[in-house]
Amino acid sequence: MAEVTRQHVVVPVLPPNEDRALSVDALFGRLQTVVAVTRRNHPELTDYRLHDVALRMEDGELRAVLDFRK
């Protein structure tokens, strides 16, 4: 069985304590931007595909945990 290589990158989705509501469409759009910027800032992810995205609140900031797999 082939070994799956994984990379997790945690990135902010919105600035800390930003007091604004997001529609689902706006959240998806923001996540697409975050993934594109992450790929640009991490060229080592070129051979990886985005497998999953988890969202979490940490210190008043919405963050995405991007799970890339090769």
Side-chain angles (χ1 to χ4, degrees):
M1 184 174 199
E3 182 180 329
V4 175
T5 305
R6 302 171 87 164
Q7 292 284 335
H8 288 99
V9 181
V10 179
V11 292
V13 175
L14 295 173
N17 300 316
E18 176 148 328
D19 191 24
R20 83 175 169 153
L22 276 180
S23 68
V24 172
D25 285 338
L27 177 59
F28 285 153
R30 183 67 189 137
L31 288 172
Q32 286 179 319
T33 301
V34 165
V35 170
V37 168
T38 300
R39 285 191 174 281
R40 200 170 332 136
N41 291 339
H42 295 272
E44 69 275 12
L45 295 173
T46 300
D47 295 334
Y48 288 77
R49 61 181 172 76
L50 181 64
H51 180 76
D52 197 13
V53 177
L55 299 175
R56 68 181 184 205
M57 289 297 292
E58 191 172 293
D59 299 326
E61 180 179 53
L62 180 61
R63 296 184 186 179
V65 181
L66 307 177
D67 177 12
F68 291 94
R69 296 185 186 181
K70 197 183 250 188

